[in-house]
Amino acid sequence: MTENIEPLDQIEDDPIEVRRAKRQALIDAGIDPYGHAFDRSDNIADLEARYADLADGDTTEDEVSLAGRVMARRVQGKIAFLELMDPTDTIQLFCRINALGETRFEELKDIDVGDWIGIHGVMMRTRRGQLSVAVDGFELLSKSLRPLPEKFHGLTDKETRYRQRYVDLIVNPEVKDAFEKRSKIISSIRRYMDGQGFFEVETPFLHPIIGGANAKPFVTHFNALDRDYYLRIATELPLKRLLVGGFEKVYEMGRIFRNEGMDPYHNPEFTTMEAYQAFTDLNGMMDLTENCIKAAAEAACGSLKITYQGQEIDLSGTWRRASMIELASEGAGEDVSFDRSRDELVSILERNGGKADDAWGKGKLIAEIFEAVAEEKLIQPTFVIDHPLEVSPLAKKKADNPELTQRFELFICGHEYANAFTELNDPVDQAERFRAQVEAKDMGDDEAMGFDSDYIRALEYGMPPAGGVGIGIDRLVMLLTDSATIRDVLLFPHMRDEA
């Protein structure tokens, strides 16, 4: 041992320092503690299946090579047992001094829980019925300097789990399962959209004007242009420009950024799938949304009947479609409509725990009443249609009622999962609504959109009648993995600074 390394008996109460000493000893012996490429012959799950019928006490001559992380170790004289984990499963390693030799067996005893190793050996099953690999050779592939949390206690503190997701994934296997399902959900949505003839496209993250939604943006400075830009709060307006340009079906799966609060259903950085289709309308978007989510459920859960936080959800059949006014009236137990005076709508809202803003018109009040009395009761999939114009600046008006728009939001378990419109393609109407948004911004609404003159110019060239929808991917993953909070389905959720 070199002079600058403390004897182990002086540092044995500090497991990190013990491991650092082992690392240095390896380096001093000319051994790289961070390994090299290793050729594996199998994964553990395949071996479990292949040798399921191997009898207790039997040993084969079948040679295998595996690589993974050591999750447990036990040394008993001239025999050592290690548990090896790869991405598919865990398996026992049966290590004997007779097979490895005294020198290599002593080196094996220095392997720590958390180390990555590669092994060679033959398949066997112990007399107690444990499928194992009888190891005749091993290599250290990466030395772990920090001990893992105790296996049987695991990592349970939520803050630590989210902040150190890399450890969470190691010691809590169900976490990895959720993210594997997330991958399947996203892949299934892409397959469905591609199968329907949609083109996946990419649009800019940096926007010169806030647009496509009512939300507070993140602001950054674009040095080359010497002006502020905004991280996108929606992909809507660039995608609809592509309809003007001749694309008939487009979608984008991408990150959205909104500089707003964090709670179990909101994260400032999240993922959506937005899609736009020429020559269809709100009904076409409801069909698309329903079938897309059903495809994701089948891929992730293998069923359209799922459970979310103890509630049984049936995604099969045709989903209910009901107007916001109908649902608000049901929830309030009285008529909620434009036929009521503003004062009457304010009273209904306040009786149900809400508080009205002086700037709100009847449309906004109806939307707030719906939120107060109806949203949380929508457990089974429900398309909420006919939103007031006041809260839908980009949606086309209903032909028979200009106070309402051709818009829906999809609710399941009391939460919104999708938002869609029959898209507004009248440039004059759109310009008027942008002006109203600018006036709202001038009055202090920091979530109002700006006036996008280029988008108006695009509409003036002519955009075909179209439907559009945005689906919240993170919330959908929550639903299909039975996750209580959005942080459980984001690999690296945003956190306050570590103390």
Side-chain angles (χ1 to χ4, degrees):
M1 187 174 291
T2 58
E3 294 180 0
N4 62 338
I5 299 296
E6 295 180 89
L8 285 180
D9 59 357
Q10 294 183 22
I11 60 175
E12 61 186 4
D13 60 340
D14 187 335
I16 293 179
E17 287 305 314
V18 169
R19 291 173 182 232
R20 285 182 177 274
K22 291 181 180 180
R23 170 189 175 276
Q24 188 61 47
L26 289 166
I27 292 172
D28 293 343
I31 300 170
D32 181 1
Y34 296 100
H36 49 77
F38 185 86
D39 188 16
R40 298 173 296 174
S41 64
D42 295 277
N43 64 52
I44 294 170
D46 287 345
L47 294 179
E48 292 278 2
R50 191 183 312 158
Y51 294 95
D53 296 329
L54 187 64
D56 295 353
D58 278 2
T59 299
T60 74
E61 295 183 358
D62 301 342
E63 296 184 359
V64 296
S65 300
L66 299 174
R69 188 188 292 274
V70 176
M71 296 302 293
R73 60 186 291 277
R74 184 174 80 257
V75 180
Q76 297 177 330
K78 298 181 178 182
I79 298 175
F81 297 93
L82 278 63
E83 181 182 289
L84 187 74
M85 179 176 75
D86 76 4
T88 67
D89 209 338
T90 60
I91 197 168
Q92 178 174 275
L93 306 181
F94 180 56
C95 310
R96 294 172 295 175
I97 193 170
N98 291 345
L100 291 169
E102 290 186 13
T103 300
R104 291 295 280 157
F105 190 75
E106 287 301 311
E107 292 172 356
L108 179 80
K109 287 163 65 175
D110 269 341
I111 294 292
D112 290 305
V113 172
D115 288 354
W116 291 84
I117 63 172
I119 64 99
H120 305 280
V122 295
M123 296 303 300
M124 60 170 287
R125 191 178 293 277
T126 66
R127 285 193 292 270
R128 294 185 177 182
Q130 181 73 49
L131 186 67
S132 305
V133 181
V135 176
D136 54 36
F138 73 92
E139 299 176 43
L140 177 64
L141 301 179
S142 184
K143 184 68 188 169
S144 167
L145 298 186
R146 286 182 180 269
L148 294 173
E150 292 181 54
K151 179 178 178 184
F152 295 106
H153 297 291
L155 186 64
T156 57
D157 178 71
K158 284 283 189 180
E159 288 291 310
T160 305
R161 286 181 56 198
Y162 298 142
R163 198 180 300 280
Q164 299 179 28
R165 181 69 84 186
Y166 38 88
V167 182
D168 191 25
L169 289 165
I170 298 167
V171 300
N172 293 315
E174 70 280 0
V175 173
K176 188 165 177 284
D177 292 342
F179 288 103
E180 288 177 347
K181 279 190 175 182
R182 180 184 177 112
S183 179
K184 291 178 181 178
I185 289 165
I186 290 173
S187 295
S188 70
I189 291 173
R190 281 197 163 102
R191 282 196 303 272
Y192 178 79
M193 297 301 292
D194 294 346
Q196 295 299 307
F198 282 79
F199 287 95
E200 184 175 7
V201 298
E202 295 177 312
T203 63
F205 277 69
L206 295 173
H207 289 184
I209 299 168
I210 305 169
N214 291 96
K216 191 180 297 183
F218 285 92
V219 184
T220 188
H221 191 75
F222 199 142
N223 290 337
L225 299 178
D226 192 24
R227 62 159 294 182
D228 285 347
Y229 265 60
Y230 307 96
L231 289 180
R232 67 187 185 189
I233 59 173
T235 53
E236 177 167 345
L237 300 186
L239 290 174
K240 289 198 288 192
R241 284 175 168 91
L242 297 179
L243 297 185
V244 173
F247 279 92
E248 290 190 3
K249 294 181 177 182
V250 292
Y251 78 98
E252 181 167 9
M253 186 92 70
R255 285 292 214 216
I256 301 297
F257 307 87
R258 296 183 182 178
N259 197 358
E260 299 169 349
M262 296 188 291
D263 64 32
Y265 277 82
H266 295 86
N267 193 69
E269 180 181 355
F270 58 99
T271 302
T272 66
M273 191 280 287
E274 283 200 56
Y276 294 86
Q277 179 179 346
F279 312 119
T280 189
D281 58 12
L282 200 67
N283 292 316
M285 290 298 101
M286 282 189 267
D287 292 340
L288 180 76
T289 302
E290 185 175 314
N291 292 328
C292 183
I293 292 176
K294 286 178 177 178
E298 288 283 9
C301 308
S303 174
L304 297 181
K305 294 186 178 180
I306 62 172
T307 300
Y308 182 71
Q309 300 299 291
Q311 296 186 100
E312 300 294 326
I313 309 298
D314 187 355
L315 299 175
S316 64
T318 300
W319 298 350
R320 182 187 180 189
R321 304 177 182 189
S323 73
M324 179 178 284
I325 287 175
E326 175 188 348
L327 293 166
S329 299
E330 283 180 10
E334 58 182 302
D335 178 51
V336 176
S337 70
F338 285 94
D339 293 334
R340 306 298 293 266
S341 69
R342 185 184 183 282
D343 288 344
E344 287 174 326
L345 292 173
V346 169
S347 296
I348 295 171
L349 177 60
E350 291 178 346
R351 283 199 297 274
N352 287 282
K355 181 170 173 48
D357 189 294
D358 291 342
W360 293 351
K362 289 184 181 182
K364 175 66 171 174
L365 288 167
I366 290 170
E368 290 291 320
I369 294 168
F370 162 77
E371 183 175 336
V373 304
E375 268 192 15
E376 65 181 18
K377 299 175 183 176
L378 301 177
I379 305 303
Q380 300 305 320
T382 304
F383 290 110
V384 179
I385 61 175
D386 297 349
H387 290 234
L389 177 64
E390 188 177 351
V391 295
S392 308
L394 294 171
K396 183 173 284 192
K397 297 174 185 175
K398 289 198 72 177
D400 58 350
N401 188 344
E403 293 175 312
L404 301 176
T405 59
Q406 297 179 52
R407 175 187 178 188
F408 77 70
E409 290 177 308
L410 171 64
F411 282 86
I412 307 172
C413 278
H415 296 283
E416 177 199 341
Y417 287 84
N419 187 19
F421 309 126
T422 298
E423 298 299 331
L424 177 61
N425 59 344
D426 178 344
V428 176
D429 189 353
Q430 182 65 80
E432 290 173 356
R433 299 197 206 182
F434 276 162
R435 290 189 189 98
Q437 288 284 298
V438 171
E439 289 175 8
K441 185 176 289 292
D442 291 342
M443 292 175 65
D445 185 350
D446 56 4
E447 294 187 355
M449 287 182 263
F451 191 99
D452 190 336
S453 57
D454 178 73
Y455 181 67
I456 298 301
R457 178 169 57 195
L459 291 185
E460 288 173 345
Y461 280 99
M463 186 180 92
V469 64
I471 298 175
I473 299 300
D474 307 302
R475 288 191 181 181
L476 181 59
V477 175
M478 286 175 64
L479 178 72
L480 298 180
T481 59
D482 194 16
S483 299
T485 169
I486 196 170
R487 290 183 173 191
D488 288 337
V489 299
L490 299 174
L491 279 168
F492 303 105
H494 293 290
M495 309 285 292
R496 297 185 187 279
D497 290 344
E498 192 169 4

